[in-house]
Amino acid sequence: MNAAVRATVRVGIYTGAKVYFVHEGYQGLVDGGDNIKPATWESVSMMLQLGGTVIGSARCMDFKEKWGRLKAACNLVKLGITNLCVIGGDGSLTGANQFRTEWSELLADLIKQGKITAEEAKRSSHLNIVGMVGSIDNDFCGTDMTIGTDSALHRIIEVVDAITTTSFVMPDCVCMRVRVCVCVHLCAHVSVRACVCINIAVCPHSYLALVTALACGADWVFIPEMPPEDNWEEHLCKRLIAQRERGSRLNVIIMAEGAQDRKQKPITCDQVKNLVSKKLGFDTRSTILGHVQRGGTPSAFDRILGSRMGVEAVMALLEATPETPACVVSLSGNMAIRLPLMECVQVTKDVTVAMAEGRFEDAVNLRGKSFQNNWNTYKMFFFLLSWSDIWATCNINIAIVNVGAPCAGMNAAVRSAVRAGLIQGHQMLAIHDGFDGLANGQIEPITWAQVGGWTGKGGSNLGTKRNLPGKNIEQISLNIAKFNIHSLIIIGGFEAYLGGLELVTAREKYEELCIPMVVIPATVSNNVPGSDFSIGADTALNTITMTCDRIKQSAAGTKRRVFIIETMGGYCGYLATMAGLSSGADAAYIYEEPFHIHDLELNVVHLIEKMKTSVKRGLILRNSNANDNYTTQFLYNLYSEEGKGTFDCRMNILGHMQQGGTPTPFDRNFGTKMGAKSVLWLTDKLKECYRHGRIFANTPDSACVLGMKRRSLIFQPLTSLKEDTDFEHRIPKTEWWLKLRPILKILARYEAVEIDTSEVAAMEHIIKKTGEIKGGKI
């Protein structure tokens, strides 16, 4: 929330508006006085890393009464406030819309009561409202992610990871319950031992429970939107036994608050715990997480999301007219969008109605595309009618190889692909040590049990190298024939993309390479053409962000200090730019945006002026290959010399720490979905390419990159992406995140910054996406 507050204040001031803080939510609006104070640029400094909200929030019964709204309206009119930005859940946003709807009536009543003049009423003739959804439950329909959800997932996964380590000491079953308390936020009950039953209550929507199940590889999840089939107790016990027989030392069960069966009878954490303990004899424990999930340092994703939403909210208010409906700014894929507020609120309420009426498919559809994709991925792995189905194999062999530098999330993608392939009836083959391993015959079958627990492991368990097929192409073709490989999944960075292109090119000479192939982008650099995001980039971004927080904090006592920090990424400036947004940097130097000595001079002057304010710290980021001459050492020397007597400098090169660590929830979930989707695509492609008793694929669309583009996961032929590739610098020619760089400069208080408005967020209608509700049906 603080990132959204910071962005709203600074962009508002940048556009010439006068911005006010309303402390303690609607209660502050009603009480007025010192609760409504002008906001300054410096007042929102050093708050990005803080959890919660620095301006406070409170439940307000007074605002539900008309007399309370009259007082609130009077306070706004006296201060000349005609634009209101509300950050909260559907209740808060519904209240804001009601306030706006009856604004004219409230002004008329205030004039009658003599509390405002007709002139004051005329100056405040209409009230514009824009909403940002701040809720860890991600239960607001119309947005892929709400502010706070990713941070809550970080807290949950940290606890789950800590609990699962107990399984290395003794076999455990853990029952975890993550539940929402009085305020729409989330607490958790976690049971540990022979079975882990994690009850995640999400009031009563289940995004956190579902994504946690995918991210930690849970054995079962109960969510109210889609209750288990009848006789679920028997299926659950069979699953847990099967997992133990495959060598698993730990079982994890996730439960959402409000979990129920098909007859809408509640399923409780204790019920599941007793079932497992008595019927299977597994030792079961539970742990209560409590409000841990609400607090803590916000993740990089939430900071960037809050910042982008804050900017978009100000733009929406400035463009609003009296006829413009109240809107909520939202995220769809990687795009900021605007949606009619009350449409979103209505569809959100329709989810609850659909569940109450037993229309569970409708409930899942109403929850949106993101929820549907997560649910479909979960179903693939966990809703098998018979566990023997896994071994109903055909004669198809799919091989998986990791290529390039290792990154967090690679193992999650491998695990997902292996298990999805086995479910489809294929034999899965693991290739060790990249293309070198494929050339040297380091190929072996990989089983369901072998990839158990891989979701939370960093690096590459298969081993990976940067070498391309190149000179080994003939040996690779021979081994593809020798091991009877029918399709290939290549998981990696730019080397994976180049390697895939080399294999496709070599099809003309080696018929054995005429098999379907898919490249899954996995690199901290996020520089693979055909995808807006790469597996591993989110983990690296969080590592950089948290490191920058600590580095900035180190100057809390000394002050007047500027830090020059070098990030990874090669020629791609994604990490430097996004880390600049999430850590509040003063500048981020990247290759894609050339800079010269004049730009460096402006940055130095900017920092000298900044030191005259109450904020006496500076942060400069530089991408590793930003410029051959203006190196990190050069920047350090320049800033040190020019800042003499005003500030001193420190230099940090973060290095390979950015490639390590356990994957973030985003990378685990993203890797899981990418791995599963690649196998389903290959399965369909193999059917298309099966001719005369053998596989033969030589069309461009038989070798693709699977990537996230704007709002969807799509497959694009490798050869079609060549035109959009800068091969010399190993980056795509078009990069979506470059349009966010003006936001970085505005938030750092640079003047005369031009914002790219070629993709202004237009108002969209959520009802058209989800379908109208008529007669209880979609």
Side-chain angles (χ1 to χ4, degrees):
M1 279 185 166
N2 287 326
V5 170
R6 172 179 177 267
T8 303
V9 168
R10 290 193 168 179
V11 175
I13 292 174
Y14 179 83
T15 59
K18 189 171 184 179
V19 185
Y20 289 84
F21 285 139
V22 178
H23 293 271
E24 310 308 329
Y26 286 137
Q27 192 64 55
L29 207 59
V30 172
D31 295 341
D34 288 341
N35 289 304
I36 307 177
K37 296 180 179 179
T40 65
W41 195 279
E42 289 79 14
S43 65
V44 291
S45 295
M46 295 302 292
M47 64 190 293
L48 273 173
Q49 74 277 15
L50 301 178
T53 168
V54 297
I55 60 174
S57 178
R59 290 185 175 277
C60 180
M61 302 307 295
D62 295 348
F63 196 73
K64 294 184 177 181
E65 305 294 333
K66 187 170 183 179
W67 64 265
R69 295 192 293 277
L70 268 173
K71 289 183 67 177
C74 183
N75 290 328
L76 292 183
V77 170
K78 290 296 183 182
L79 292 170
I81 298 172
T82 56
N83 296 283
L84 197 59
C85 180
V86 180
I87 310 173
D90 59 343
S92 301
L93 299 180
T94 301
N97 186 70
Q98 181 182 2
F99 192 41
R100 176 184 183 275
T101 301
E102 61 183 20
W103 183 254
S104 297
E105 181 184 339
L106 293 174
L107 293 184
D109 289 347
L110 289 171
I111 293 174
K112 287 180 183 178
Q113 295 174 14
K115 293 184 177 180
I116 64 172
T117 65
E119 184 62 29
E120 287 175 324
K122 184 178 180 181
R123 287 198 302 266
S124 303
S125 58
H126 67 275
L127 179 69
N128 296 320
I129 294 285
V130 66
M132 288 183 274
V133 189
S135 167
I136 65 172
D137 303 325
N138 200 33
D139 59 351
F140 194 81
C141 293
T143 181
D144 285 349
M145 287 287 276
T146 57
I147 298 169
T149 301
D150 189 66
S151 299
L153 284 170
H154 275 252
R155 302 293 93 78
I156 297 170
I157 293 301
E158 286 167 8
V159 172
V160 174
D161 284 349
I163 287 172
T164 54
T165 57
T166 63
S167 66
F168 294 108
V169 180
M170 63 178 70
D172 286 343
C173 177
V174 182
C175 174
M176 296 195 185
R177 182 179 179 188
V178 186
R179 53 179 302 185
V180 176
C181 265
V182 268
C183 293
V184 203
H185 290 296
L186 156 47
C187 337
H189 286 228
V190 187
S191 358
V192 190
R193 286 216 87 193
C195 181
V196 186
C197 182
I198 307 172
N199 191 340
I200 302 191
V202 242
C203 175
H205 307 294
S206 312
Y207 182 88
L208 288 177
L210 183 55
V211 174
T212 298
L214 287 173
C216 71
D219 297 283
W220 198 280
V221 64
F222 292 93
I223 61 172
E225 287 92 339
M226 189 56 71
E229 299 294 337
D230 295 337
N231 201 25
W232 61 266
E233 296 91 342
E234 183 179 343
H235 289 302
L236 172 61
C237 291
K238 283 183 178 180
R239 178 184 297 281
L240 300 183
I241 291 171
Q243 289 293 78
R244 288 306 174 92
E245 290 175 347
R246 294 186 180 90
S248 174
R249 293 175 59 85
L250 178 73
N251 298 118
V252 178
I253 302 169
I254 307 289
M255 291 190 67
E257 185 178 55
Q260 58 186 350
D261 61 20
R262 288 276 163 176
K263 298 175 182 176
Q264 300 188 18
K265 181 180 178 182
I267 300 174
T268 66
C269 188
D270 287 339
Q271 179 184 350
V272 176
K273 176 182 173 182
N274 293 333
L275 170 69
V276 174
S277 299
K278 293 177 181 179
K279 193 163 184 177
L280 301 181
F282 290 173
D283 195 5
T284 307
R285 293 288 185 273
S286 56
T287 302
I288 300 175
L289 298 185
H291 286 74
V292 166
Q293 298 154 94
R294 282 212 219 160
T297 300
S299 67
F301 182 95
D302 270 333
R303 301 185 197 194
I304 295 168
L305 175 62
S307 298
R308 292 183 66 187
M309 295 302 98
V311 173
E312 190 60 42
V314 173
M315 295 298 106
L317 287 172
L318 293 177
E319 296 169 12
T321 66
E323 293 74 34
T324 305
C327 75
V328 57
V329 293
S330 177
L331 183 74
S332 180
N334 68 353
M335 295 178 63
I337 61 173
R338 301 176 194 172
L339 299 169
L341 191 154
M342 292 314 296
E343 282 189 22
C344 295
V345 170
Q346 183 58 53
V347 176
T348 301
K349 291 178 179 179
D350 289 340
V351 174
T352 304
V353 173
M355 289 191 290
E357 295 177 354
R359 297 182 287 109
F360 301 114
E361 290 287 350
D362 289 356
V364 171
N365 291 334
L366 285 166
R367 293 283 271 120
K369 188 174 180 180
S370 177
F371 190 89
Q372 291 174 45
N373 289 339
N374 286 316
W375 174 246
N376 290 334
T377 303
Y378 169 78
K379 281 197 302 182
M380 176 189 296
F381 293 119
F382 303 110
F383 272 11
L384 299 174
L385 294 177
S386 170
W387 283 92
S388 61
D389 290 349
I390 295 177
W391 315 116
T393 59
C394 62
N395 295 320
I396 295 298
N397 297 325
I398 298 179
I400 305 174
V401 61
N402 288 344
V403 178
C407 67
M410 270 186 168
N411 292 322
V414 172
R415 171 189 173 274
S416 175
V418 167
R419 293 193 169 180
L422 293 173
I423 290 170
Q424 294 296 313
H426 308 315
Q427 177 170 330
M428 304 303 293
L429 301 175
I431 302 171
H432 298 276
D433 295 334
F435 287 123
D436 287 358
L438 183 54
N440 297 329
Q442 296 173 249
I443 306 166
E444 63 180 6
I446 187 166
T447 65
W448 184 281
Q450 283 178 278
V451 295
W454 282 27
T455 307
K457 293 182 179 179
S460 168
N461 287 357
L462 293 184
T464 180
K465 290 186 178 179
R466 294 179 180 271
N467 297 337
L468 298 176
K471 59 184 179 181
N472 295 322
I473 202 80
E474 182 175 353
Q475 192 59 43
I476 285 174
S477 67
L478 291 174
N479 279 331
I480 286 178
K482 177 181 177 181
F483 289 90
N484 203 23
I485 295 173
H486 299 111
S487 60
L488 184 63
I489 299 175
I490 308 170
I491 303 172
F494 203 82
E495 291 85 359
Y497 168 70
L498 290 178
L501 280 174
E502 288 188 6
L503 294 178
V504 170
T505 303
R507 282 175 170 178
E508 297 179 3
K509 186 175 181 181
Y510 301 99
E511 191 175 302
E512 295 84 355
L513 299 177
C514 293
I515 58 174
M517 306 175 196
V518 62
V519 173
I520 298 178
T523 169
V524 301
S525 302
N526 195 32
N527 63 336
V528 179
S531 186
D532 293 341
F533 296 102
S534 295
I535 298 168
D538 185 69
T539 303
L541 181 57
N542 275 277
T543 299
I544 298 169
T545 301
M546 301 310 164
T547 304
C548 288
D549 287 347
R550 295 181 180 183
I551 289 173
K552 288 168 65 178
Q553 191 179 43
S554 71
T558 56
K559 298 187 177 181
R560 294 187 180 278
R561 180 163 289 173
V562 173
F563 296 96
I564 315 291
I565 298 175
E566 180 182 303
T567 67
M568 296 180 88
Y571 287 97
C572 180
Y574 175 83
L575 286 180
T577 297
M578 302 307 268
L581 276 172
S582 62
S583 59
D586 295 282
Y589 299 119
I590 63 171
Y591 167 79
E592 292 95 336
E593 191 175 273
F595 56 97
H596 308 284
I597 194 67
H598 177 65
D599 300 304
L600 299 178
E601 181 185 4
L602 287 176
N603 296 148
V604 171
V605 171
H606 168 80
L607 284 170
I608 291 173
E609 291 299 313
K610 183 178 181 181
M611 295 301 162
K612 297 176 183 178
T613 70
S614 59
V615 184
K616 302 184 185 301
R617 286 178 292 278
L619 180 66
I620 304 294
L621 299 180
R622 178 188 177 274
N623 190 52
S624 55
N625 289 353
N627 188 289
D628 291 338
N629 298 309
Y630 299 140
T631 63
T632 304
Q633 184 65 52
F634 176 90
L635 293 179
Y636 169 72
N637 293 338
L638 175 68
Y639 277 83
S640 297
E641 180 65 27
E642 297 299 323
K644 276 184 178 179
T646 305
F647 58 80
D648 61 0
C649 287
R650 295 292 185 272
M651 181 177 73
N652 299 84
I653 298 177
L654 302 185
H656 284 77
M657 65 181 294
Q658 298 160 82
Q659 285 185 333
T662 58
T664 59
F666 180 92
D667 278 332
R668 299 184 195 200
N669 190 25
F670 193 41
T672 298
K673 286 193 280 193
M674 296 279 272
K677 195 171 184 69
S678 66
V679 168
L680 294 179
W681 181 82
L682 285 174
T683 301
D684 291 338
K685 192 61 65 175
L686 285 164
K687 293 175 183 176
E688 292 178 19
C689 301
Y690 185 77
R691 299 187 186 93
H692 310 298
R694 67 190 187 100
I695 304 295
F696 186 80
N698 66 345
T699 57
D701 66 352
S702 64
C704 290
V705 171
L706 169 58
M708 167 71 81
K709 295 297 288 183
R710 296 169 71 88
R711 301 189 186 188
S712 305
L713 286 175
I714 62 173
F715 292 88
Q716 299 171 85
L718 282 162
T719 52
S720 70
L721 295 170
K722 292 169 70 174
E723 292 183 1
D724 188 43
T725 304
D726 179 347
F727 287 97
E728 180 184 355
H729 299 103
R730 298 161 59 88
I731 56 175
K733 291 180 181 178
T734 55
E735 296 170 301
W736 67 273
W737 49 266
L738 287 173
K739 294 183 179 181
L740 301 183
R741 286 188 60 80
I743 297 176
L744 171 64
K745 296 176 182 179
I746 290 172
L747 296 180
R749 207 173 191 175
Y750 285 91
E751 301 295 334
V753 179
E754 292 186 8
I755 298 180
D756 185 348
T757 57
S758 60
E759 291 187 7
V760 173
M763 187 80 80
E764 299 185 10
H765 292 278
I766 187 173
I767 296 294
K768 291 181 180 179
K769 296 180 182 179
T770 57
E772 291 188 34
I773 309 298
K774 293 181 179 179
K777 295 183 180 180
I778 297 183

